[in-house]
Amino acid sequence: MGNPKHKISKARRDKRRTHKYLSAPTLVACPKCSEPKLPHRACINCGTYKDKEVILIKEAQQA
């Protein structure tokens, strides 16, 4: 198994790691109910996609 011959500087190490980060997901407002949703996906709240109802959403029963 190979071992490093020279010390890797902090700058070189950090340059290698520049692309390793997390980003927040992009959210857009639903045109029908204005709830945040992922782009190009059906709205979980109202069940519409491109102004068409594609998911049947059950209404919450209030007791």
Side-chain angles (χ1 to χ4, degrees), residues 1-9:
M1 179 128 181
N3 290 320
K5 301 287 185 195
H6 302 285
K7 178 182 177 179
I8 304 297
S9 68

Side-chain angles (χ1 to χ4, degrees), residues 28 37-42 49-50:
V28 296
K37 70 175 192 77
L38 292 171
H40 307 288
R41 285 166 180 79
Y49 180 70
K50 292 189 177 181

